[in-house]
């Protein structure tokens, strides 16, 4: 049998490899999630990790070290920035202290696919590069609205006399309706409900069963508002220096795949969770007509006004790029 020189070199392996055949060693990336492992908002990331580790054998390996037990959610942004971790699954609500403009991401009306086309993704990536030393690899959670959940009824869009658990996601909206606010990470919601220090909490339509909150929840207020964004971030030095083109392309391809399946998956999961909540005895407080309009208008207006306040230089550009798309 005769071999061409290239095939022969391949056959002889790395010991005789020419520069032409030089191959980067497998890179291991340390990753955390800001949500508990196995729960609703870690799931897309965990699928991503599994796929990278399968399809990227010999190229990239993600060492997923865990969720809030290994790192408090509000510290994840800093850990990405400083390179304490290479990668994270995190919502911007947990890193608005580093990148205030990211508070506007939940106000997006354009899908992530539209954002990748109209320049929004590029703009937001640049902000992440500059302020968070991070590459904005993916956005999941499209099509998942947030809701207000309560332990006591609500007759109108007015939260005077209600103490509500928040993160930056809900802060401006619930404050505009007169609520007292208590900020906690997700891991402290159950205890706050149990002790009766809150009358309710903000949370998406998905996930209240993950940490057992259904036992303490009596009402969900409809309609939902805003859109969840849970992002895959990569430390920028890792992205630029530790990875080569092939490794970056692999991560980007799988991340974009996850974004694409996320929307359809979410529509189905949202419907299942609504049913599951009803079956668990959680009643719907459905605001209708004028009240519904007031609820949604206050959410949007208070949301953007707050972005303008904390990120005056980026708010208008964010709004222009993130809204006005036809879904
Ligand atoms: O903790 C939260 O309520 C929160 O901000 C959030 C954001 C995205 C998904 C789930 C929760």
């Amino acid at each position: 049998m005769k071999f061409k020189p290239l095939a022969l070199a391949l056959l002889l392996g790395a010991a005789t490899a020419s520069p032409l055949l030089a191959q980067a060693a497998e890179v291991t990336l340390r990753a955390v999630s800001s949500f508990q492992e196995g729960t609703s908002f870690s799931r897309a990331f965990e699928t991503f990790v599994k796929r990278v580790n399968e399809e990227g054998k010999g190229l990239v390996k993600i060492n997923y070290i865990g969720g809030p037990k290994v790192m408090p959610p509000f510290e994840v942004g800093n850990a990405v920035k400083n390179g304490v971790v290479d990668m994270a699954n995190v919502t911007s609500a947990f890193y608005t202290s580093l990148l205030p403009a990211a508070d506007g991401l939940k106000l997006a009306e354009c899908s992530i696919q539209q954002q990748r086309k109209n320049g929004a993704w590029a703009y937001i990536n640049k902000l992440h590069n500059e302020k968070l030393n991070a590459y904005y690899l993916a956005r999941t959670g499209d099509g998942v609205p947030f809701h207000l959940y309560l332990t006591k009824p609500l007759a109108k869009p007015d939260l005077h006399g209600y103490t509500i658990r928040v993160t930056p996601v809900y802060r401006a909206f619930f404050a505009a309706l007169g609520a007292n606010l208590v900020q906690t990470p997700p891991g402290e919601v159950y205890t706050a409900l149990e002790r009766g220090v809150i009358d309710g909490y903000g949370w998406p339509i998905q996930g209240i069963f993950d940490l057992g909150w259904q036992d303490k929840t009596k009402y969900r207020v409809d309609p939902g508002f805003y859109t969840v964004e849970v992002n895959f971030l990569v430390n920028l030095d890792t992205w630029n220096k530790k990875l080569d083109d092939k490794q970056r392309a692999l991560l980007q391809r799988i991340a974009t795949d996850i974004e694409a399946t996320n929307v359809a998956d979410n529509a189905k999961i949202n419907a299942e969770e609504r049913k599951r909540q009803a079956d668990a005895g959680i009643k719907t407080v459905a605001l209708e007509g004028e009240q519904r309009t007031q609820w949604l208008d206050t959410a949007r207006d208070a949301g953007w006004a707050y972005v303008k306040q904390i990120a005056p230089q980026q708010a208008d550009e964010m709004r222009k790029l993130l809204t006005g798309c036809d879904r």
Side-chain angles (χ1 to χ4, degrees):
M1 233 202 256
K2 270 174 81 184
F3 291 102
K4 293 205 170 86
L6 184 66
L8 187 63
L10 272 170
L11 200 69
L12 295 175
T16 56
S18 68
L20 185 73
L21 298 171
Q23 242 234 304
E26 184 178 80
V27 169
T28 299
L29 304 178
R30 247 163 83 87
V32 288
S33 177
S34 61
F35 294 97
Q36 197 168 306
E37 292 152 84
T39 62
S40 300
F41 298 104
S42 282
R43 220 158 274 148
F45 186 66
E46 288 164 358
T47 303
F48 171 78
V49 171
K50 190 160 172 278
R51 280 195 55 187
V52 169
N53 288 346
E54 281 166 9
E55 296 169 38
K57 276 206 175 69
L59 211 55
V60 188
K61 183 176 174 207
I62 299 178
N63 175 19
Y64 176 37
I65 59 173
K69 287 197 191 75
V70 301
M71 186 178 292
F74 285 92
E75 287 173 23
V76 170
N78 243 322
V80 173
K81 184 177 179 190
N82 301 333
V84 168
V85 295
D86 296 298
M87 185 181 276
N89 176 57
V90 60
T91 180
S92 67
F94 299 149
Y95 59 84
T96 44
S97 58
L98 298 171
L99 178 53
D103 195 47
L105 295 179
K106 68 190 180 205
L107 299 164
E109 292 164 16
C110 304
S111 68
I112 182 62
Q113 287 76 21
Q114 289 167 324
Q115 291 179 43
R116 286 189 182 277
K117 288 197 189 108
N118 77 356
W121 176 86
Y123 181 72
I124 294 158
N125 180 45
K126 188 163 168 285
L127 296 178
H128 279 78
N129 293 175
E130 291 167 0
K131 297 277 178 62
L132 211 74
N133 190 37
Y135 181 78
Y136 184 49
L137 183 64
R139 169 175 176 150
T140 66
D142 260 10
V144 183
F146 292 92
H147 285 265
L148 171 62
Y149 296 88
L150 293 170
T151 59
K152 59 186 195 186
L154 183 79
K156 55 183 194 299
D158 180 354
L159 294 175
H160 286 96
Y162 291 74
T163 300
I164 307 293
R165 174 270 174 187
V166 295
T167 64
V169 170
Y170 327 91
R171 175 166 289 282
F173 177 28
F174 295 164
L177 295 176
N180 296 319
L181 309 177
V182 179
Q183 178 163 305
T184 83
E188 288 169 26
V189 173
Y190 189 89
T191 312
L193 284 166
E194 199 174 33
R195 296 197 180 144
V197 297
I198 54 173
D199 305 306
Y201 57 91
W203 191 259
I205 190 66
Q206 299 181 16
I208 71 153
F209 292 86
D210 288 337
L211 302 175
W213 304 340
Q214 74 280 5
D215 292 345
K216 306 281 170 200
T217 305
K218 297 220 168 65
Y219 304 92
R220 184 191 69 242
V221 181
D222 281 6
F225 50 90
Y226 305 155
T227 301
V228 167
E229 39 82 25
V230 179
N231 307 305
F232 302 173
L233 304 184
V234 185
N235 170 275
L236 196 58
D237 299 306
T238 297
W239 184 256
N240 287 333
K241 297 175 200 153
K242 206 160 153 184
L243 299 170
D244 65 17
D245 285 344
K246 216 170 151 194
Q247 291 160 329
R248 281 189 287 263
L250 174 96
L251 295 176
Q252 192 65 74
R253 173 176 63 76
I254 299 174
T256 312
D257 269 8
I258 302 272
E259 283 180 347
T261 50
N262 201 235
V263 179
D265 289 354
N266 280 332
K268 189 167 160 278
I269 302 168
N270 292 350
E272 287 164 4
E273 294 259 335
R274 277 192 198 96
K275 175 163 191 317
R276 197 172 166 201
Q277 289 181 14
D279 292 347
I282 297 171
K283 296 192 179 70
T284 305
V285 175
L287 299 173
E288 275 153 11
E290 273 292 297
Q291 293 195 339
R292 179 189 164 94
T293 307
Q294 192 197 334
W295 179 254
L296 293 175
D297 286 355
T298 307
R300 190 192 54 237
D301 296 348
W304 281 116
Y306 191 61
V307 178
K308 183 93 181 174
Q309 191 186 317
I310 61 174
Q313 287 166 11
Q314 292 95 24
D316 293 344
E317 188 67 8
M318 292 280 287
R319 189 164 191 171
K320 192 178 108 208
L321 290 167
L322 292 175
T323 62
C325 294
D326 292 316
R327 280 258 178 190

